[in-house]
Amino acid sequence: MEQVAERIAVGQHGVVTRGQILSAGCAARTLERRVTAGRLRTVHCGVYTLGPVQSPAMEEMAAVLACGRHAFVSHLSAGVLWRILRPDARPTHPHVTLVGTNRARPGIRIHRVAELAPDERSARDGIPLTSPSRTLYDLASLLEPRALEQAVAEAIALRLVALEALAAAAERYRGRRGAGRFRDVVQGDARPSRTRSTAEERFLALVRKAGVGRPKLNTPVAGHEVDFFWPEHRLVVEVDGRAYHSSPKAVDRDRRRDADLATAGYRVLRITWREIVHHPEALLVRLGRALAAGR
């Protein structure tokens, strides 16, 4: 039985169902003895894992197997699997969307829908889950606006979906829960922005609150990827984060980078974590002057 279970579990992130084991010709009494002896560990009713070592996606795979053939990993869980959310966003209980059924499962967060269109269904590493666009729409009812914008920007950066496709999807979901927030992000005037550090996120919040233009983030300029860029002012802002410590090598690299940008006709303003956190008003004055000088 262990060989049968292991063969099946290899392609299912380390989990196997009771039905799969019985269909392979193993006796029910033998299965129960293995469970009682701890040779098979119960994850959900009728779903087992073989040992203490777990696949990173074992919980999500076990959840959809427990819920049946009309189940898809969704919401926060799908966001983590698509890598548009950070791993620490993984919920305590896996999120699963069930189509056309009214079933509850302990330890699983169930979302029921009457229908899930073919283009809203997908799979990743053998796990059934909602498509990237449907996942982002589902996240609109769970995330704060800026967190949703980050998720959308990450999905676009990973080339999972195009912004134009998301804008079209927003019309499909018009009138549903979370549709307004979703539409604001994907059909807004500004392209969704993705930051790579806490310092960048704090600076972006400061810039938006002050209404200081609409910079591009983490975008290529003169052969370098810069943190913030105001094209109409030819101004680049580079953020030295909280953990920044300038070694001689790093200082030399930054000088060469700044020189390349200056040669190409761009001005560079470097700001620090301390300025962002402790002197935001003075920082905005610096930024305002730099922008004005580029008009």
Side-chain angles (χ1 to χ4, degrees), residues 5 22 38 56 66 85 101 122-123 130 191 203 212 221 241 263 270:
L22 297 181
L85 297 180
T101 183
S122 189
T130 50
R191 190 176 182 85
F203 181 64
V212 189
V221 177
T263 300
R270 288 194 169 271

Side-chain angles (χ1 to χ4, degrees), residues 8-9 59 81 88 102 112 121-122 124 142 148 150 173 182-183 202 227 237 239 242 256 271 274 279:
I8 298 170
E59 290 185 1
L81 291 184
D88 56 14
N102 189 23
R112 299 178 180 85
R121 307 179 183 204
S122 189
R124 190 180 182 97
L142 300 178
L148 177 63
Q150 281 266 48
Y173 302 126
F182 181 66
R183 189 169 59 252
R202 293 281 291 264
D227 296 338
V237 172
V239 179
R242 180 183 350 203
R256 291 199 307 270
I271 63 176
R274 182 176 180 79
H279 306 290

Side-chain angles (χ1 to χ4, degrees), residues 49 137 229 280:
T49 185
Y137 161 67
F229 179 47

Side-chain angles (χ1 to χ4, degrees), residues 205-270:
L206 189 64
V207 165
R208 287 184 169 179
K209 186 175 181 180
V212 189
R214 295 182 181 276
K216 293 184 177 182
L217 274 69
N218 301 309
T219 190
V221 177
H224 299 280
E225 185 173 290
V226 302
D227 296 338
F228 293 83
F229 179 47
W230 279 262
E232 64 274 23
H233 301 278
R234 300 186 71 79
L235 177 67
V236 170
V237 172
E238 295 282 66
V239 179
D240 297 332
R242 180 183 350 203
Y244 178 80
H245 299 285
S246 55
S247 65
K249 186 176 181 180
V251 170
D252 184 58
R253 183 184 64 243
D254 289 343
R255 284 175 178 169
R256 291 199 307 270
R257 179 188 179 93
D258 292 353
D260 289 344
L261 291 166
T263 300
Y266 300 100
R267 293 170 300 121
V268 180
L269 179 66
R270 288 194 169 271

Side-chain angles (χ1 to χ4, degrees), residues 41-61:
R41 184 172 62 85
T42 302
V43 184
H44 296 289
C45 182
V47 181
Y48 314 101
T49 185
L50 277 66
V53 179
Q54 295 183 5
S55 161
M58 185 274 286
E59 290 185 1
E60 289 80 11
M61 188 74 206

Side-chain angles (χ1 to χ4, degrees), residues 12 25 67 70-71 111 131 168 176 219 255 290:
Q12 297 184 160
C67 291
H70 298 294
H111 303 268
S131 68
R176 302 187 195 179
T219 190
R255 284 175 178 169

Side-chain angles (χ1 to χ4, degrees), residues 40-244:
L40 294 174
R41 184 172 62 85
T42 302
V43 184
H44 296 289
C45 182
V47 181
Y48 314 101
T49 185
L50 277 66
V53 179
Q54 295 183 5
S55 161
M58 185 274 286
E59 290 185 1
E60 289 80 11
M61 188 74 206
V64 291
L65 288 175
C67 291
R69 56 191 293 263
H70 298 294
F72 298 84
V73 176
S74 64
H75 295 74
L76 294 173
S77 298
V80 171
L81 291 184
W82 283 119
R83 297 188 178 93
I84 58 180
L85 297 180
R86 292 166 54 91
D88 56 14
R90 178 177 263 111
T92 303
H93 300 304
H95 287 235
V96 172
T97 288
L98 287 180
V99 182
T101 183
N102 189 23
R103 179 186 302 165
R105 285 284 187 176
I108 302 173
R109 175 75 180 276
I110 300 294
H111 303 268
R112 299 178 180 85
V113 296
E115 183 181 8
L116 202 60
D119 64 345
E120 296 177 300
R121 307 179 183 204
S122 189
R124 190 180 182 97
D125 298 327
I127 303 173
L129 73 168
T130 50
S131 68
S133 59
R134 174 68 195 214
T135 298
L136 289 166
Y137 161 67
D138 288 335
L139 290 174
S141 60
L142 300 178
L143 300 180
E144 294 297 321
R146 175 56 191 151
L148 177 63
E149 181 187 0
Q150 281 266 48
V152 169
E154 191 68 25
I156 293 170
L158 292 173
R159 299 184 178 180
L160 296 173
V161 68
L163 182 60
E164 295 74 18
L166 291 176
E171 296 304 316
R172 168 191 288 184
Y173 302 126
R174 184 179 291 272
R176 302 187 195 179
R177 182 188 177 195
R181 183 178 294 178
F182 181 66
R183 189 169 59 252
D184 289 344
V185 171
V186 303
Q187 294 184 341
D189 295 333
R191 190 176 182 85
S193 300
R194 176 180 64 150
T195 56
R196 297 175 298 187
S197 68
T198 303
E200 288 184 11
E201 187 66 21
R202 293 281 291 264
F203 181 64
L204 178 62
L206 189 64
V207 165
R208 287 184 169 179
K209 186 175 181 180
V212 189
R214 295 182 181 276
K216 293 184 177 182
L217 274 69
N218 301 309
T219 190
V221 177
H224 299 280
E225 185 173 290
V226 302
D227 296 338
F228 293 83
F229 179 47
W230 279 262
E232 64 274 23
H233 301 278
R234 300 186 71 79
L235 177 67
V236 170
V237 172
E238 295 282 66
V239 179
D240 297 332
R242 180 183 350 203
Y244 178 80

